[in-house]
Amino acid sequence: MTGAAMNIDDWDREVDFLVVGSGAGGLTGALTAAHAGLSTVIIEKASVFGGSTALSGGGVWIPNNPVLRREGIVDSRQSVRAYLDSLVGDHVPPENIDAFIDAGPEMVEFLENVGPHMRFQWCPGYSDYHPENPGGRAEGRSIEPLPVDLKRLGADEELLRPAALATPPGLFITSKDFVSLNMVMRTWKGRRTALATGLRAIKALVLRRHMDTLGRALVARLRLAVNDAGVPLLLDTPMQSLITDESGTVIGVLAEHRGEPVRIHARAGVLLATGGFEHNHEMRKRNLPTGGRDDYSAASADNTGDGIVAGVKAGAATDLMDDAWWMPSFQRPDGINQVLVSERSIPRSIIVDQHGRRFTNEAAPYVTFVHAQIAGGHEPTWFVFDKTAKARYPVGGIMPGQPFPKDWITTGLVHVADSPAALATAVGVDPEALTETLDRYNGFARAGHDPAHGRGASAYDNYYGDPSLPHPTLDVLDRAPFYALRVRAGDLGTKGGLVYNASGQVLREDSSVIDGLYATGNTSAAVMGTDYAGAGATIGPAMVFGYVAARHAAARR
């Protein structure tokens, strides 16, 4: 609904600041607005809250934040800017990068100071994704929420978006734990972590706590803080359109609440935090490159580009629409898209294409890997590993020694064979090529150096590698049976969205401001451009620009 003035009597509800979406970016924006004195409401399309954040690892990448400073991880502003410049180039306005660098630490400090709920820890050693670049850090800058008892949410606990994969009762694992648990069959640290995790689970069960971690912990903690601030969250309330006045200023939203239209007047502005277009088939086909158009996304099923579509109808410009937060994935027989993060650093494994050849560094950051996969037309691709790898390391959530589910085999998701040539025949690639590829890789592994693709040269490559080996990501692949898992070009969400300025205000094609309209997260064009700085470089900027937008709206009120 644009261009038509509305009388005050036409509104069903009036607020200062309206947030559309309940992921980390939206919740942070709402919390900031409420503490700045704005009456605030959040509306959420789904029947649960948390968006894609609740399905994520919950990492937050924000350099120089107070959590890092307490650990002695302090950077000069120049080094942070040098690192981001090396990744982003000219894809993002420099003033937006500056806003992220400057407002990020302020935002984390604000969260820690608003009450008892927002608590974080550093993920030591979780390297920046390009630590070898100027300003990169091998020890990492990622933080994560501390575990939280979901019983503190009261009735809201049942309304928190469920995790993508179920965990045993009582068990809760942080990112900090995960990297050690992957090596439970290989290192004493892994075994100690497994024991500690098991004891924690028993304690949680005995005390009847509903402990959770990762993205759900981040959302839960933000929800607790938002509740304390008195901000209502309306579920089952999809936005239908933005409402503008004669000048083009956004003055509210037409939504639908439980099947009934509701017109909400937002005096200070509307923040769009509705995620990307990852599950909008038409938008994927129109915008994403060949090889990345099919939907193997791990993002919230409710993300269909609503905020982007509404913004464009209001005159907004878009950018980076041909890119995504790519992630190598596989689709289970039950339809769940599952990501491959740590697996790609398994020493006794490689990834090959339809020609039976390696085509890039398997252990590279996931966006980097899939960019190479798509650009080279490497389709289909197969994750190939041997008996020893299967016995030592988790693969696709299946623990060492645990057999793959039968339907993974019968549906062709996983193939098993007694020789590389037989495996090649099973997956439809040239047996001679795959055998030659394995022989060549094994030679690299014995030498401890991968001259073809540089695997293991970066600290990031080795983070999920096997520290008990001389070369954590390189080892010979030579024990039958051999396995091949079908790999897809998946994603964690799309990168493209509405263009905005350093205050989070949405812009038109001529760079003029659409007054009253703000955007953050995957509804906006990524401040990371076409790359990925480190774990949490999706959620971190979403939270920062939610904070920035709310502060700007409050300052104008």
Side-chain angles (χ1 to χ4, degrees), residues 311-366:
V312 168
K313 286 181 178 178
T318 59
D319 196 14
L320 299 174
M321 294 292 283
D322 60 347
D323 208 357
W325 303 96
W326 301 112
M327 169 67 78
S329 305
F330 65 95
Q331 188 170 73
R332 299 181 350 178
D334 59 8
I336 291 177
N337 295 323
Q338 194 162 331
V339 301
L340 290 170
V341 181
S342 61
E343 290 89 345
R344 293 178 299 107
S345 293
I346 288 176
R348 301 173 74 101
S349 71
I350 58 173
I351 296 178
V352 300
D353 64 7
Q354 69 270 35
H355 306 296
R357 306 291 186 188
R358 296 175 69 212
F359 55 89
T360 192
N361 170 13
E362 294 89 347
Y366 28 92

Side-chain angles (χ1 to χ4, degrees), residues 104 285 395 500 505 539 557:
K285 294 294 184 187
V395 176
Y500 57 98
Q505 295 174 285
I539 293 174
R557 184 71 184 135

